[in-house]
């Protein structure tokens, strides 16, 4: 028998599988609201003008293709840390932030969970919000952590179940690992308010929990990189030794370049050195060293005040287009007298909207209207534009009547 006779056919990824179905659909009216990648007003992938300028600078520079160090391009990780924490944040000023480049946000999450599985002094259990980004679960499990949940989404109010969230975090054994979406929660688009983040910081501190931040959308959520980093910076100011995963996939449109970073707030420069050494030991047998081009693109932009200024305008432009689509969709659903409450479409933030559509309604939209979204009712708002938002609203209206 063949070597692989016992390999079973696995299920398609719930998110990426939607795009496969979309591609197979021949309808001219088809819409892909599945994958979380930004599209411009014409439904096209968007290469930021600052990225194009950085490409030109790099191609003129004709740099070599030598290996990066295990922890990546030092200029990239320095600039990524400053973007997230702020130039004058204490961990950076006191040189006690251990950081490594990663294979985008997914790679950062994989390194973080693997590092915790290997070195965390407490229980090797990670608490994830319900729901969370689907990939958080297999990443954590494959790293050897036990996965538990904390309440997050209240389907009656289509809002944050803050009391449930606090109760579950409080009930978790002291010193538990709590994964927190820093901004633009995926898939719900619902974030704690700044006041709620302050309460969560107190609770995490009281329980001596470990805050594991996933910040895949800094700048892309509200359009303001400082606003989106509020939770991360507040927790650090409050003295939490956080772990932070960063991605430049969305806010710089570098999806396929796989530019990301993971950082650990340490107690001292000496501890940072020990953590850095163990990060190298963990990464070396994983992929040895990371891809160079994406890191150079990010560094070229963030090391130039004028390119950074232009980038901030571009990332706000993306966020604003999504916010405009939220308003247009909401107004159209209301105009069509669509049954149900739709305010959450406007109040949610970031790439996604948790519509509240049921799985069978999602299936009907695919079959009857060639509109594709994940079965949890999440839509990527970026897939909507002036040419298709009315058709989508009309189709939803029909599906829920
Ligand atoms: C919360 C979160 N963390 C991390 C990541 C990792 O992204 P990357 O590895 O591309 O940086 C993502 C990317 N999500 O992909 C879009 C989708 O859900 O359809 C994410 O949403």
């Amino acid at each position: 028998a063949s070597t692989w006779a016992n390999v079973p056919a696995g299920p398609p990824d719930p998110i990426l599988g939607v795009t496969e179905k979309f591609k197979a659909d021949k309808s001219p009216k088809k819409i892909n609201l599945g994958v979380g990648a930004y599209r411009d007003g014409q439904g096209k992938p968007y290469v930021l003008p600052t990225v194009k300028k950085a490409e030109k600078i790099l191609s003129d520079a004709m740099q070599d293709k030598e290996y990066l160090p295990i922890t990546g391009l030092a200029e990239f990780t320095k600039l990524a840390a400053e973007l997230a924490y702020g130039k004058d944040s204490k961990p950076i000023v006191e040189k006690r932030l251990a950081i490594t480049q990663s294979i985008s946000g997914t790679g950062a999450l994989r390194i973080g969970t693997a590092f915790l599985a290997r070195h965390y002094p407490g229980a090797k259990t990670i608490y994830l919000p319900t729901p969370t980004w689907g990939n958080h679960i297999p990443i954590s499990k494959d790293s050897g952590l036990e996965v538990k949940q904390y309440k997050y989404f209240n389907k009656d109010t289509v809002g944050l179940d803050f009391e449930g969230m606090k109760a579950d975090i409080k009930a978790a054994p002291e010193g538990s690992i709590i994964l927190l979406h820093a901004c633009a929660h995926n898939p719900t688009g619902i974030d704690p308010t700044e006041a709620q983040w302050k309460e969560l910081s107190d609770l995490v501190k009281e329980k001596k929990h470990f805050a594991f931040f996933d910040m895949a959308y800094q700048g892309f959520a509200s359009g303001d990189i400082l606003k989106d980093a509020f939770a991360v910076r507040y927790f650090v100011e409050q003295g939490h030794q956080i772990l932070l995963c960063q991605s430049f996939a969305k806010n710089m449109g570098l999806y396929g370049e796989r530019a990301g970073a993971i950082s650990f707030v340490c107690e001292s420069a000496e501890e940072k050195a020990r953590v850095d050494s163990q990060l190298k030991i963990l990464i070396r047998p994983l992929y040895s060293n990371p891809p160079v081009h994406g890191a150079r693109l990010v560094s070229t932009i963030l090391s130039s005040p004028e390119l950074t200024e232009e980038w901030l305008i571009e990332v706000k432009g993306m966020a604003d287009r999504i916010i405009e689509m939220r308003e247009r969709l909401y107004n159209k659903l209301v105009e069509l007298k669509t049954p149900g409450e739709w305010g959450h479409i406007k109040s949610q933030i970031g790439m996604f909207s948790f519509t509240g559509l049921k799985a069978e309604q999602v299936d009907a939209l695919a079959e009857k209207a060639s509109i594709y979204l994940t079965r949890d009712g999440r839509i990527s708002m970026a897939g909507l534009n002036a040419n298709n938002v009315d058709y989508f609203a009309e189709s939803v209206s029909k599906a829920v009547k």
Side-chain angles (χ1 to χ4, degrees), residues 154-174:
N154 179 331
K155 64 181 181 320
D156 303 329
T157 63
V158 196
L160 180 66
D161 177 2
F162 189 54
E163 292 315 310
M165 177 181 187
K166 283 191 294 183
D168 284 357
I169 290 175
K170 197 177 179 69
E174 193 160 281

Side-chain angles (χ1 to χ4, degrees), residues 22 25-32 363-372 391 395:
F22 166 77
D25 191 313
K26 297 293 160 246
S27 161
K29 302 187 78 166
K30 67 180 181 178
I31 310 177
N32 184 4
D363 296 342
L365 283 168
E367 276 141 43
K368 301 204 177 81
S370 293
I371 295 171
Y372 294 89
Y391 172 62
S395 307

Side-chain angles (χ1 to χ4, degrees), residues 15 35-36 104-106 133 186 214 216-217 247 249-250 258 352 378:
I15 294 171
V35 77
S104 215
T106 304
W133 181 43
N186 181 357
D214 181 6
Y217 296 91
S247 167
K250 278 80 178 184
R258 314 306 294 139
F352 306 105
R378 181 195 88 167

Side-chain angles (χ1 to χ4, degrees), residues 13 101 149 157 235 272 351 401:
D13 178 277
Q101 184 178 330
Q149 310 281 329
T157 63
F235 268 63
K272 164 197 157 53
M351 182 88 82
K401 266 176 184 137

Side-chain angles (χ1 to χ4, degrees), residues 13 15-16 19 33-37 102-109 132-136 139 179-187 214-217 245-250 254-256 258-261 351-352 374 378 380:
D13 178 277
I15 294 171
L16 305 179
T19 298
L33 303 178
V35 77
S102 60
I103 315 282
S104 215
T106 304
L109 290 158
T132 193
W133 181 43
N135 214 11
H136 281 151
I139 290 172
L179 184 135
L180 298 162
H181 294 232
C183 62
H185 180 270
N186 181 357
D214 181 6
M215 184 159 71
Y217 296 91
C245 297
Q246 289 177 263
S247 167
F248 289 91
K250 278 80 178 184
L254 296 177
Y255 301 93
R258 314 306 294 139
M351 182 88 82
F352 306 105
T374 38
R378 181 195 88 167
S380 169

Side-chain angles (χ1 to χ4, degrees), residues 14-15 18 33-34 131-134 153 186-188 352-359 362-363 373-379:
I15 294 171
V18 169
L33 303 178
T132 193
W133 181 43
F153 177 64
N186 181 357
T188 66
F352 306 105
S353 186
F354 219 43
T355 60
L357 286 167
K358 296 178 182 53
V362 171
D363 296 342
L373 57 142
T374 38
R375 295 196 86 227
D376 58 3
R378 181 195 88 167
I379 57 172

